[in-house]
Amino acid sequence: MTERLEGEAGLTRAVELLRAGKLVAIPTETVYGLAGDAREGEAVAAIFEAKGRPRFNPLICHLASLEAAGRFGVIEGAALRLAEAFWPGPLTLVVPLREAAGLSPLVTAGLNSVALRVPALPLAHRLLDAFGGPLAAPSANPSGKISPSTAAHVAEGLEGRIAAVLDGGPADVGLESTIIDCTGPEPRLLRPGGLPLETLEAALGTPLGRDAPTDDTAPSSPGQLSSHYAPGKAVRLNVTTPPESSLFLAFGPGFPAATANLSPSGDLREAAANLFAMLHKLDALPGAEIAVAPIPQRGLGLAINDRLSRAAAPRG
Ligand code: TXA
Ligand code: MG
């Protein structure tokens, strides 16, 4: 049985469960995370198990503040500038690991770097503050499936496999955090996400390096495995005139007959917030294929197209 938690009592219970080494799905502004104590090997191992996640794929550590994050990773130079500008918020920084800080090596999959994030959602912040330590939390979905932007999505995928879900309402941003690797001479983009690239580049004053397209066997950010975020149905992209038989996920005005519309007004922020919920919904309807309208490749469109192209990738 997975407990449903909410409100003050829910927060207290979530902290109690996490302290006991249990797994609790927690809300953040990006997507729901499947949280466990990042210092406890058994809790971290249980996260991999509940998700069916490959062990080589390291997890993000969530902290209440920049100061707390700095105890687990070396946050200097560009990383510090980005942290000061965008934390709390939908940004994850990969920085050199402080080896003696006590994180379970399972969190980093044995790497000498660690992914750190300070979430902005007040409920997540209060939970981290009350817990008083680092929480390892990947998105709270079975590995390879669509990420959860509501507590109901979490329950759909993980019911009975985790101790509890703390309900904080639908996620605001709706896409995972943007991940920047700050371990090299220049910061590099590892995953587009909820913080637009343009905003990051404006703060840095320079364009960000991008990863070369990753190969599935040796991902540098392993979340880049190409078939990821996959609905059960086939997904076709950049469709302007959908065949009658397919479920049509539109974007922008002028699609009265669409099965769903990410944003009738063409707002990328609204589209990001709706993306996973609408993919979940369309996946549950009868029909063999989801056809998706073209999404502009700017702002949050970059992350939306990234997730869509993974949803459409051939399944391995
Ligand atoms: O918004 C988010 O980022 C959500 C919420 C829950 O915070 N979390 C999330 O976690 O999306 P997950 O595990 O689904 O994605 C984490 C990504 C993976 O692609 C992983 O490979 C990468 O972060 N990652 C973690 N540690 C890393 C490291 N040391 N070096 C490179 N990539 C790393
Ligand atoms: Mg994920």
Side-chain angles (χ1 to χ4, degrees), residues 53-80:
R53 178 172 175 120
R55 290 286 165 113
F56 60 74
N57 197 348
L59 306 176
I60 297 175
C61 261
H62 297 68
L63 288 310
S65 65
L66 169 55
E67 194 217 333
R71 280 181 226 136
F72 297 94
V74 182
I75 305 174
E76 291 171 348
L80 184 58

Side-chain angles (χ1 to χ4, degrees), residues 120-140:
L121 185 77
L123 187 58
H125 182 263
R126 287 173 55 219
L127 176 91
L128 283 160
D129 210 31
F131 178 70
L135 287 177
S139 50

Side-chain angles (χ1 to χ4, degrees), residues 31 51 53 57 138-145 147-148 176 191 223 228-229:
V31 297
K51 279 184 64 89
R53 178 172 175 120
N57 197 348
S139 50
N141 51 292
S143 191
K145 299 293 183 206
S147 290
E176 296 88 343
R191 177 177 77 182
H228 205 75
Y229 311 99

Side-chain angles (χ1 to χ4, degrees), residues 55-289:
R55 290 286 165 113
F56 60 74
N57 197 348
L59 306 176
I60 297 175
C61 261
H62 297 68
L63 288 310
S65 65
L66 169 55
E67 194 217 333
R71 280 181 226 136
F72 297 94
V74 182
I75 305 174
E76 291 171 348
L80 184 58
R81 268 185 289 144
L82 291 174
E84 283 176 336
F86 299 111
W87 279 354
L91 173 69
T92 295
L93 298 173
V94 174
V95 298
L97 172 70
R98 291 194 194 279
E99 310 261 359
L103 289 185
S104 159
L106 281 177
V107 171
T108 53
L111 299 172
N112 54 14
S113 59
V114 61
L116 301 172
R117 171 159 124 75
V118 177
L121 185 77
L123 187 58
H125 182 263
R126 287 173 55 219
L127 176 91
L128 283 160
D129 210 31
F131 178 70
L135 287 177
S139 50
N141 51 292
S143 191
K145 299 293 183 206
I146 303 169
S147 290
S149 55
T150 65
H153 294 161
V154 175
E156 227 173 81
L158 297 174
E159 176 67 54
R161 291 156 78 175
I162 61 177
V165 184
L166 178 61
D167 194 340
D172 234 32
V173 177
L175 288 174
E176 296 88 343
S177 59
T178 301
I179 306 182
I180 305 291
D181 179 1
C182 297
T183 58
E186 300 294 335
R188 284 181 322 139
L189 176 71
L190 291 183
R191 177 177 77 182
L195 188 65
L197 208 55
E198 294 89 333
T199 313
L200 276 161
E201 291 182 335
L204 283 170
T206 54
L208 273 169
R210 320 263 174 113
D211 247 11
T214 41
D215 122 22
D216 273 6
T217 52
S220 76
S221 184
Q224 314 257 6
L225 294 177
S226 57
S227 173
H228 205 75
Y229 311 99
K233 296 190 200 312
V235 176
R236 211 146 54 85
L237 304 182
N238 296 315
V239 176
T240 43
T241 40
E244 295 231 338
S245 60
S246 57
L247 301 161
F248 186 47
L249 183 58
F251 173 81
F255 298 103
T259 322
N261 194 324
L262 288 166
S263 170
S265 68
D267 175 353
L268 288 166
R269 199 168 284 277
E270 181 184 26
N274 281 333
L275 178 68
F276 291 140
M278 287 188 174
L279 285 175
H280 272 281
K281 186 178 123 189
L282 266 54
D283 206 26
L285 294 175
E289 180 188 80

Side-chain angles (χ1 to χ4, degrees), residues 15-23 35-37 40 42-44 46 131:
V15 170
E16 182 179 280
L17 287 166
L18 289 165
R19 290 220 174 107
K22 306 281 193 231
L23 304 188
D37 189 333
E40 295 295 330
E42 280 186 34
V44 181
F131 178 70

